[in-house]
């Protein structure tokens, strides 16, 4: 082909792109003119114009502009356009991906949803499943999946919708993909109880990755993918703190997330690898089976951080299953239901409420990307219509978005009569939104009793309060001033001016209890506001690796929700977050209604307002601070806005704010779910940084790289220190061990050999720079006893020799007896070698141990029998306790701290560690019990005593 032919062939494409570009720029200009009514000068619009920085289009304005583009070009833009499109050029490229052309610019898409619904996935199988029951005997989520794979492996579990492509996944396919991920994790050295981060968008891969981590015995830690380049620094720093707290060793992400994942890895020293699901999956490998129990952690949900730093809520399989069963019972869910969700899977409402709930009960989940909903809210309702969804959920802003972004024309043909429960939760529920949504969509068949405000929190898995079926959500109208000053909810007429309104969120789930208490912990009566506390089988055990915050969470067995509430006629009304309420002049002020009022002011970015209190030493009360984003820059505009905000606050609460700070866009910090992080905003405001415009994406990345360089330098010094310290430990061992071994072989008795080893071991520890603290030696009985200790390292025996001043005979596995070095050394110490695998010889060995104790020997036993790299205690074998019981001597529990750090399993280079040996109170067999029962009691008492003081999860 010659150049002339090439020019002829490409010119139509160039012409089409040019026409599309001109039409697109005209649409952007049209949107800008409406936004800037009365302002003659518009910023220049080029392909390189950044939508928010250069053109002033915030997220809602961008959404409006993209909706106009879709209508004008007659296409559905890719779901990720709202998130990924930073410039006009990006929007043009999204149009090209959607197949738009200049020739279709005049076409307007039909707003009515498709009338024909696809066949319900696995409908016939689900009818049969309804008769078979549910996995009620399951102890773990893995048991639930295995049950469904046995009962109906080919039934569809979920359908992933992505850009009009439907991807159904059966229970068997889910299990197979999980097994592939588990095998890949094990190949990378992942062991049980290690944390693996999931940074994935809603996708088919997410489901298999989550269960694959569980199959490998590890702990999933969901985190959200980066949203926009302009927020990259905040994203990385927040998630670096999360990954460090979790101790995550690996991260699974997508190709597009690799850049951010590498930045995170540079910030988090323990994060050893990042990979995609495709890189991990290995179809040729089968994972090693790993036992799981109901009290194992099933995932760590990091709280949103709307009131402070995120905390990791550790939830066990038992917690999740208890919550799912309670919610399923409350809503009378059956396999005939269909759940439609756009909720992100990294958030508890989407992960537990939508997916794991559907997995347990056995009804299909139809899931779409959050971006699909945000870019065009009608898609959510269309999907409910098409798939005949019976259950769906969203935070309050989602229902508000539907009210604002779906016009009357788009309601034609929309049938929502199938929607039996529309859950509204995860953030403060607006009574006005509840009422207006029910009224607006009643024309589409939505029943008023279907709109169901609910309440939950991560510390309760997800759900805590659910409404009774078949009732319209109650809205309580109360006297504002009495409530603000006395915390009494006094009812007034619905049309009373200046009243407060709260919506009822229902009653506690079956098996759960709630109470409202004052600051002293006294239970309050009806219509008195206080702290809301709860207890029940869904309650978390605490925050992961955060004992201080865990201690603050529990009050006499009740968990503090961090929310304030009151009860009336059995209904619970949530009034606000404890930390968010501003106390000024003896009045309780509630930020949500002030933020809503300020957000309605023309020129203030809606949803970008933070209201909080800041202590004022001069008055002894709190200042009411309003931080609001605006694009106004001139002095006149900002002065007018200041007056308008003051009037709005006066109208809302009857008094003005103390401080109004007008800030440029992106200064109001938010969580991944869009909630305002008021505590974080207050910290920035008090530091004088609240009105500081965020740096460019390039500047943020450069700062992160510089920070990573500092972290890596510090890590390099740490590694160098560890290498030098390890070399010192190894050289000291090489110096002392041969001589000690030779002298021990020449010792005249086990007692003399022990005394020699005791002195040599302590000298080696000093030479190696290792400190050993010994506590509780006075608890050792003067006569014979059986000492039992936790086992975490190759050096545990040597540490006990250094710690104990008198001789003990080690009980060692028979395989060591034939080893030239270890076997001869242990033999000179008087060790007893026992059989671990052959049953008859094990019984005989137990009798031999009892005989040795009767003859006056004290034994030292590691009842776990072996040790592994993972933290915690393994099950205890019974032999040592049978021997103690038979000989009538006490069992002495002993803790060894720090040896797992020094030299754990399958590691041959030592690391510096603080070592401590702690002798606990002796245990004796209960009188009157037969020998086996007495041994079992002793074993459990010893394991509990050691476990309670062992500083390992």
């Amino acid at each position: 082909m010659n150049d002339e032919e090439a020019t002829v062939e490409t010119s139509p494409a160039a012409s089409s792109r040019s026409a599309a570009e001109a039409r697109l720029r005209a649409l952007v200009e049209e949107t800008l003119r409406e936004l800037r009514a009365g302002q003659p000068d518009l910023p220049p619009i080029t392909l390189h114009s950044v939508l928010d920085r250069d053109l002033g289009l915030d997220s809602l304005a961008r959404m409006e502009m993209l909706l106009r583009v879709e209508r004008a070009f007659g296409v559905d833009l890719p779901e990720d356009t709202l998130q990924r499109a930073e410039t006009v050029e990006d929007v043009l490229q999204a149009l090209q991906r959607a197949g738009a052309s200049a020739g279709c610019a005049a076409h307007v898409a039909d707003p009515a949803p498709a009338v024909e619904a696809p066949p319900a996935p696995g409908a016939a199988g689900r009818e049969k499943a309804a008769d078979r029951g549910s996995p009620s005997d399951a102890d773990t989520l893995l048991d639930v999946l295995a049950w469904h794979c046995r009962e109906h492996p080919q039934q569809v579990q979920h359908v992933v919708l992505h850009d009009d492509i439907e991807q159904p996944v059966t229970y068997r396919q889910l299990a197979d993909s999980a097994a592939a991920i588990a095998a890949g994790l094990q190949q990378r050295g992942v062991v049980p109880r290690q944390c693996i981060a999931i940074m994935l968008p809603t996708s088919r891969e997410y489901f298999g990755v989550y269960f694959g981590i569980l199959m490998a015995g590890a702990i999933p830690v969901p985190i959200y993918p980066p949203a926009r380049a302009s927020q990259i620094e905040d994203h990385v720093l927040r998630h670096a703190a999360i990954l460090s707290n979790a101790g995550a060793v690996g991260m699974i992400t997508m190709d597009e997330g690799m850049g951010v994942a590498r930045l995170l890895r540079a910030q988090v020293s323990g994060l050893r690898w990042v990979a995609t699901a495709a890189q991990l999956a290995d179809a040729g490998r089968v994972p090693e089976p790993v036992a799981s129990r109901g009290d194992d952690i099933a995932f760590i949900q990091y709280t949103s951080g709307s009131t402070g730093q995120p905390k990791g809520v550790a939830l066990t399989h038992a917690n999740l299953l208890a919550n799912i069963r309670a919610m399923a019972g409350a809503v009378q869910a059956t396999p005939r239901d269909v759940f439609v969700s756009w909720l992100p899977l990294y958030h508890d409402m989407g992960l537990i409420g939508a997916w794991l709930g559907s997995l347990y009960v056995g009804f299909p989940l139809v899931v779409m990307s959050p971006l699909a909903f945000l870019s065009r809210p009608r898609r959510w309702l269309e999907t409910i219509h098409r798939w005949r969804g019976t259950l769906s959920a969203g935070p309050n802003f989602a229902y508000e978005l539907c009210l604002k972004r779906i016009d009357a024309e788009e309601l034609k043909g929309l049938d929502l009569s199938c929607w039996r429960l529309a859950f509204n939760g995860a953030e403060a529920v607006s009574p006005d939104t509840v009422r207006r949504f029910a009224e607006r969509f009643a024309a589409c068949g939505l029943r008023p009793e279907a709109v169901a405000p609910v309440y939950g929190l991560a510390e309760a898995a997800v759900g805590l309060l659910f409404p009774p079926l078949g009732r319209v959500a109650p809205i309580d109208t109360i006297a504002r001033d009495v409530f603000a000053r006395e915390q009494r909810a006094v009812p007034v007429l619905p049309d009373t001016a200046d009243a407060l309104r709260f919506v009822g969120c229902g009653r506690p789930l079956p098996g759960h209890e709630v109470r409202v208490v004052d600051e002293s912990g006294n239970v309050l009566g009806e219509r008195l506001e206080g702290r809301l506390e709860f207890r029940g089988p869904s309650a978390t055990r605490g925050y992961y690796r955060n004992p201080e915050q865990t201690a603050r969470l529990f009050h006499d067995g009740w968990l503090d929700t961090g929310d304030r509430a009151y009860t009336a006629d059995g209904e619970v009304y949530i009034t606000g977050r404890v930390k968010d309420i501003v106390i000024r002049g003896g009045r309780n002020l509630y930020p949500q209604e002030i933020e809503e009022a300020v957000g309605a002011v023309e020129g203030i970015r809606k949803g970008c307002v933070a209201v909080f209190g800041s202590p004022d030493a001069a008055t002894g009360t709190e200042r009411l601070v309003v931080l609001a984003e605006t694009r106004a820059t001139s002095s006149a505009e900002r002065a007018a806005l200041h007056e308008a905000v003051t009037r709005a606050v006066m109208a809302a609460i009857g008094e003005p704010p103390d401080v109004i700070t007008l800030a440029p866009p992106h200064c109001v910090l938010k969580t991944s779910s869009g909630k305002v992080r008021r505590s974080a905003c207050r910290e920035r405001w008090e530091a004088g940084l609240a009105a500081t415009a965020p740096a460019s994406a390039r500047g943020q990345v450069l700062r992160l790289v510089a920070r990573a360089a500092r972290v890596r330098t510090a890590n390099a010094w740490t590694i160098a220190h560890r290498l030098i310290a390890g070399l010192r430990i190894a050289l000291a061992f090489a110096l002392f061990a041969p001589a000690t071994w030779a002298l021990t072989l020449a010792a005249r008795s086990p007692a003399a050999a022990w005394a020699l080893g005791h002195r040599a071991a302590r000298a080696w520890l000093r030479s190696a720079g290792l400190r050993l603290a010994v506590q509780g030696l006075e608890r050792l009985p003067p006569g014979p006893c059986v000492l039992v200790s936790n086992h975490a390292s190759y050096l545990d025996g040597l540490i006990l020799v250094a710690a104990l001043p008198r001789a003990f005979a080690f009980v060692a596995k028979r395989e060591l007896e034939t080893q030239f070095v270890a076997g001869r050394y242990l033999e000179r110490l008087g060790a007893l070698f026992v059989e671990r695998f052959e049953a008859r010889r094990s019984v005989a060995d137990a009798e031999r141990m009892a005989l040795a104790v009767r003859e006056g020997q004290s034994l030292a036993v590691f009842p776990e029998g072996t040790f592994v790299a993972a933290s915690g205690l393994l099950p205890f074998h019974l032999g040592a306790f049978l021997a103690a019981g038979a000989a009538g001597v006490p069992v002495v529990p002993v803790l060894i701290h720090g040896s797992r750090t020094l030299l754990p399993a399958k590691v041959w280079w030592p690391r510096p560690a603080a070592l401590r040996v702690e002798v606990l109170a002796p245990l004796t067999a209960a009188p009157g019990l037969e020998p086996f029962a007495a041994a079992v009691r002793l074993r459990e008492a010893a394991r509990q005593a050691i476990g309670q003081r062992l500083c390992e999860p």
Side-chain angles (χ1 to χ4, degrees):
M1 180 184 297
N2 58 38
D3 292 342
E4 183 178 352
E5 290 172 329
T7 303
V8 171
E9 286 196 13
T10 57
S11 58
S15 175
S16 174
R17 175 184 166 88
S18 178
E21 177 187 337
R23 179 69 177 124
L24 174 60
R25 289 170 65 176
L27 286 167
V28 174
E29 181 179 343
E30 176 187 309
T31 306
L32 278 178
R33 289 200 182 280
E34 288 191 24
L35 286 171
R36 302 191 175 202
Q39 300 181 31
D41 296 329
L42 293 180
I45 302 170
T46 70
L47 288 179
H48 302 296
S49 297
V50 178
L51 298 176
D52 56 357
R53 188 189 66 203
D54 299 334
L55 303 183
L57 296 173
D58 60 20
S59 56
L60 292 176
R62 286 198 305 275
M63 185 187 302
E64 176 63 31
M65 185 264 291
L66 293 177
L67 287 173
R68 294 181 181 194
V69 169
E70 286 186 326
R71 290 170 183 154
F73 284 84
V75 298
D76 285 343
L77 292 172
E79 293 175 355
D80 59 359
T81 305
L82 179 64
Q83 178 185 21
R84 294 185 179 279
E86 299 274 351
T87 65
V88 176
E89 170 70 24
D90 294 338
V91 179
L92 183 60
Q93 291 179 2
L95 272 171
Q96 291 174 328
R97 293 203 308 273
S101 67
C104 65
H107 173 68
V108 178
D110 179 7
V115 175
E116 290 188 13
R126 289 190 290 118
E127 290 296 327
K128 295 178 182 177
D131 299 329
R132 280 195 293 266
S134 62
S136 55
D137 294 332
D139 293 324
T140 69
L141 295 173
L142 292 169
D143 294 340
V144 172
L145 180 58
W147 185 89
H148 285 293
C149 284
R150 288 193 304 271
E151 294 292 329
H152 35 240
Q154 300 310 316
Q155 182 174 308
V156 172
Q157 199 283 306
H158 56 265
V159 180
V160 181
L161 306 181
H162 181 69
D163 284 339
D164 297 327
I165 298 173
E166 300 168 2
Q167 298 176 314
V169 177
T170 66
Y171 286 98
R172 172 50 57 199
Q173 289 171 327
L174 174 59
D176 290 345
S177 63
I181 294 294
L185 291 172
Q186 290 175 344
Q187 192 175 21
R188 286 181 179 254
V190 173
V191 299
R193 299 180 186 173
Q194 286 184 331
C195 289
I196 306 296
I198 309 175
M199 191 175 73
L200 288 170
T202 297
S203 58
R204 180 169 180 162
E205 290 77 17
Y206 201 111
F207 303 89
V209 164
Y210 178 86
F211 265 98
I213 295 172
L214 291 182
M215 281 188 183
I219 302 171
V221 181
I223 62 176
Y224 59 91
R228 296 179 62 80
S230 59
Q231 301 165 352
I232 187 69
E233 187 173 20
D234 183 62
H235 177 94
V236 170
L237 294 180
R238 278 172 59 78
H239 284 84
I242 287 173
L243 297 175
S244 296
N245 175 255
V249 299
M251 175 190 288
I252 304 173
T253 187
M254 65 288 194
D255 290 332
E256 298 86 345
M258 274 297 185
V260 172
R262 293 188 184 100
L263 285 173
L264 282 167
R265 189 180 176 192
Q267 307 284 334
V268 183
S269 58
L271 191 63
R272 298 201 298 261
W273 54 265
V274 295
T276 65
Q279 290 169 341
L280 280 175
D282 186 348
R285 292 178 61 87
V286 176
E288 294 292 329
V290 176
S292 63
R293 302 178 304 177
D295 60 357
D296 288 339
I297 298 176
F299 87 111
I300 303 174
Q301 171 71 57
Y302 275 84
T303 61
S304 62
S306 57
T307 60
Q309 291 300 313
K311 300 181 288 289
V313 179
L315 294 168
T316 66
H317 290 271
N319 291 149
L320 294 178
L321 289 176
N323 201 240
I324 289 167
R325 286 164 176 151
M327 290 189 297
V331 305
Q332 298 180 12
T334 75
R336 298 180 180 88
D337 279 303
V338 176
F339 201 118
V340 173
S341 178
W342 57 266
L343 298 167
L345 292 168
Y346 52 75
H347 195 271
D348 50 12
M349 199 173 183
L351 179 67
I352 308 170
W355 176 37
L356 297 180
S358 68
L359 177 85
Y360 178 84
V361 179
F363 54 78
L365 169 68
V366 180
V367 62
M368 59 199 294
S369 165
L371 297 174
F373 163 71
L374 293 172
S375 62
R376 196 153 62 98
R378 193 188 75 178
R379 285 176 177 153
W380 179 28
L381 306 187
E382 282 180 355
T383 306
I384 293 171
H385 162 97
R386 292 188 66 243
W387 293 85
R388 309 315 295 155
T390 59
L391 306 172
S392 195
N396 192 81
F397 89 85
Y399 296 95
E400 194 64 38
L401 204 59
C402 288
L403 289 167
K404 292 175 180 174
R405 297 292 169 179
I406 303 176
D407 56 37
E409 185 66 22
E410 291 179 304
L411 298 184
K412 292 179 179 178
L414 192 66
D415 179 10
L416 300 179
S417 60
C418 56
W419 197 358
R420 67 183 187 90
L421 283 171
F423 304 112
N424 183 336
E427 64 182 16
V429 180
S430 166
D432 185 54
T433 302
V434 169
R435 177 186 56 78
R436 289 189 297 117
F437 190 86
E439 292 174 354
R440 173 82 180 280
F441 291 96
C444 302
L446 183 69
R447 295 180 298 277
E449 61 270 21
V451 183
V454 294
Y455 170 80
L457 64 164
E459 288 81 355
V462 62
L464 180 60
L465 304 175
F466 268 55
L469 297 178
R471 74 108 162 93
V472 177
I475 295 174
D476 198 30
T477 307
I478 61 175
R480 177 188 296 275
D481 194 59
V482 176
F483 189 72
R485 295 191 181 280
E486 303 175 26
Q487 291 77 60
R488 289 192 300 120
V490 178
V492 295
L493 294 175
D495 58 353
T496 301
D498 196 35
L500 272 175
R501 291 173 179 82
F502 296 106
V503 65
C505 292
R507 298 170 171 81
L509 289 171
H512 296 71
E513 300 174 82
V514 299
R515 68 178 187 178
V516 178
V517 299
D518 62 17
E519 294 303 317
S520 300
N522 301 311
V523 178
L524 298 174
E526 284 212 337
R527 293 198 168 274
L528 293 176
E529 187 207 30
R531 285 177 174 264
L532 182 68
E533 296 182 341
F534 79 99
R535 63 184 180 188
S538 304
T540 178
R541 297 184 300 195
Y543 298 118
Y544 192 69
R545 296 173 63 180
N546 196 337
E548 291 182 5
Q549 290 294 337
T550 297
R552 294 174 186 161
L553 179 65
F554 292 91
H555 300 151
D556 299 325
W558 293 79
L559 275 76
D560 187 351
T561 65
D563 285 305
R564 293 182 69 83
Y566 66 89
T567 61
D569 299 324
E571 193 86 18
V572 180
Y573 294 84
I574 308 297
T575 59
R577 297 290 293 166
V578 171
K579 292 182 180 179
D580 287 344
I581 292 174
V582 182
I583 304 175
R584 188 174 75 158
R587 288 188 65 195
N588 283 5
L589 305 177
Y590 297 84
Q592 298 97 313
E593 66 168 339
I594 303 173
E595 289 167 352
E596 189 173 344
V598 174
V601 173
E602 185 71 27
I604 298 295
R605 299 185 72 207
K606 190 172 181 61
C608 299
V609 180
V611 172
F612 49 84
S614 179
D616 185 358
T619 61
T621 187
E622 285 190 311
R623 290 175 291 181
L624 178 64
V625 181
V626 176
L627 173 64
E629 292 183 7
T630 179
R631 294 192 182 278
T633 55
S634 71
S635 299
E637 286 180 309
R638 294 173 70 85
L641 275 179
H642 196 283
E643 290 182 12
V645 169
T646 300
R647 289 195 300 271
V649 176
M650 284 283 293
I653 64 172
E655 53 186 272
D658 295 292
V659 182
I660 298 172
T661 299
L662 299 178
H666 310 305
C667 288
V668 173
L669 302 178
K670 297 183 180 181
T671 70
S672 62
S673 56
K675 289 187 280 188
V676 174
R677 293 165 57 196
R678 298 186 183 96
S679 293
C681 289
R682 179 176 59 243
E683 290 173 9
R684 283 182 57 81
W685 184 84
E686 291 175 344
L689 301 174
T692 305
S696 66
R698 177 185 176 86
Q700 292 181 47
V701 171
L702 288 176
R703 278 207 300 256
L704 288 170
V705 170
R707 179 188 174 94
R710 292 194 298 270
V711 171
R712 294 219 167 178
T713 301
N715 289 343
W717 280 110
T718 301
I719 292 170
H721 175 264
R722 286 180 178 174
L723 287 172
I724 294 170
L727 181 62
R728 179 182 177 182
I729 295 168
L731 289 175
F733 187 82
L735 177 67
F736 278 88
T740 303
W741 183 80
L743 291 171
T744 299
L745 295 189
R748 290 173 298 176
S749 66
W754 186 279
L756 172 65
H758 176 72
R759 291 192 295 272
R762 296 185 76 85
W764 167 69
L765 289 170
R766 286 193 298 272
S767 300
L770 297 169
R771 291 194 315 166
L772 174 64
V774 183
Q775 299 172 335
L777 287 177
E778 69 279 3
R779 298 190 182 105
L780 285 175
C785 61
V786 176
L787 183 151
V788 294
S789 173
N790 60 304
H791 199 10
S793 169
Y794 297 103
L795 298 176
D796 285 339
L798 189 150
I799 292 170
L800 284 182
V801 171
L804 302 173
R806 65 182 175 88
F808 282 79
F810 282 110
V811 176
K813 58 186 179 183
R814 189 171 297 280
E815 299 96 288
L816 293 176
E817 188 174 15
T818 57
Q819 291 187 11
F820 179 72
V821 177
R824 297 192 67 183
Y825 179 77
L826 288 169
E827 185 179 350
R828 294 305 298 161
L829 288 178
L832 298 178
F833 296 96
V834 298
E835 176 61 46
R836 294 192 298 164
F837 304 110
E838 206 275 305
R840 288 186 180 179
R841 294 190 65 176
S842 294
V843 173
D845 286 336
E847 294 173 353
R848 190 157 55 90
M849 289 163 58
L851 178 62
V853 177
R854 288 194 196 99
E855 292 176 350
Q857 271 189 301
S858 291
L859 303 182
V861 185
F862 297 112
E864 293 168 273
T866 186
F867 62 96
V868 294
S871 60
L873 288 176
L874 299 173
F876 279 11
H877 295 291
L878 204 56
F881 306 97
L882 282 169
V889 300
V891 170
V892 182
V894 171
L895 276 87
I896 302 176
H897 297 272
S899 64
R900 201 186 303 275
T901 301
L902 176 63
L903 198 66
K906 299 182 181 179
V907 172
W908 300 105
W909 189 260
R911 293 183 293 177
L915 302 175
R916 181 161 57 92
V917 171
E918 186 176 359
V919 180
L920 303 182
L923 304 171
T924 56
L929 289 178
E930 57 95 13
F932 184 82
V936 171
R937 290 271 187 94
L938 280 173
R939 180 186 66 178
E940 296 311 309
R943 191 172 190 275
Q944 183 178 13
I946 293 174
Q948 284 178 342
R949 297 188 63 82
L950 185 65
C951 298
E952 293 183 349

